[in-house]
Amino acid sequence: DYHQTPFGEALAVMSSRGLAGLAFVNDDTGQDRAGVLADMTNRWPGARFKHQSGAGAQPVAHIFNPVEWAAGQPIRVVLIGTDFEVRVWETLLKIPMGQAVSYVDVARHIGQPTASRAVGSAVGRNPISFVVPCHRVMRRDGGLGGYHWGLTRKRALIGWEAGQVARVSNQ
């Protein structure tokens, strides 16, 4: 189902095992509701998708409310991709909020230091926006690089996280 977030409308794709997709609707990049749904269904052509009104509302509310974040209450995610993609996405999950790494850093972390382009492709295929923080990966020169859901949203996510980190450190 579609849900409002602090960063615009998003489609949550749930499975019996957890969150399998979180994709932002973005008319600026041609990803309207139909485009976002097509993107998600094309990723898993063998899956059966069923619209359920309100499905994913609780996890989505939890995801975007830092007050609810706690080590004992994780969001269950289902990473569906190639072995390489899953290794990249698992690495992204280890990047602390408010910090950034380069594609080269991720490639080194997974033991393939020359695979930064392949890492970039895997980062771009991340189906679980924000939760698997692909927005925290930058070019080696510090530039933003790309973002599947638009650079404006990537800037907003980075800025929001910086504000959250500053708020916590001031408490």
Side-chain angles (χ1 to χ4, degrees), residues 77 79 82-95 106 109-110 126 131-133:
V77 297
L79 299 176
T82 66
D83 289 340
F84 182 84
E85 288 171 338
V86 170
R87 286 192 350 231
V88 169
W89 301 336
E90 287 174 338
T91 300
L92 301 183
L93 288 167
K94 297 174 186 172
I95 305 168
V106 175
H109 187 271
I110 65 170
N126 169 28
V131 176
V132 178

Side-chain angles (χ1 to χ4, degrees), residues 12-79:
V13 178
M14 303 297 298
S15 79
S16 60
R17 295 185 180 171
L19 181 68
L22 184 65
F24 290 109
V25 175
N26 188 352
D27 293 329
D28 295 342
T29 62
Q31 290 290 316
D32 59 7
R33 278 184 165 201
V36 168
L37 180 59
D39 179 37
M40 289 289 112
T41 57
N42 288 338
R43 290 169 186 261
W44 308 294
R48 289 184 326 209
F49 291 82
K50 178 181 164 187
H51 178 258
Q52 288 184 296
S53 185
Q58 190 278 334
V60 170
H62 181 89
I63 288 165
F64 294 103
N65 185 358
V67 173
E68 293 189 21
W69 298 352
Q73 299 175 342
I75 295 292
R76 292 190 54 142
V77 297
V78 181
L79 299 176

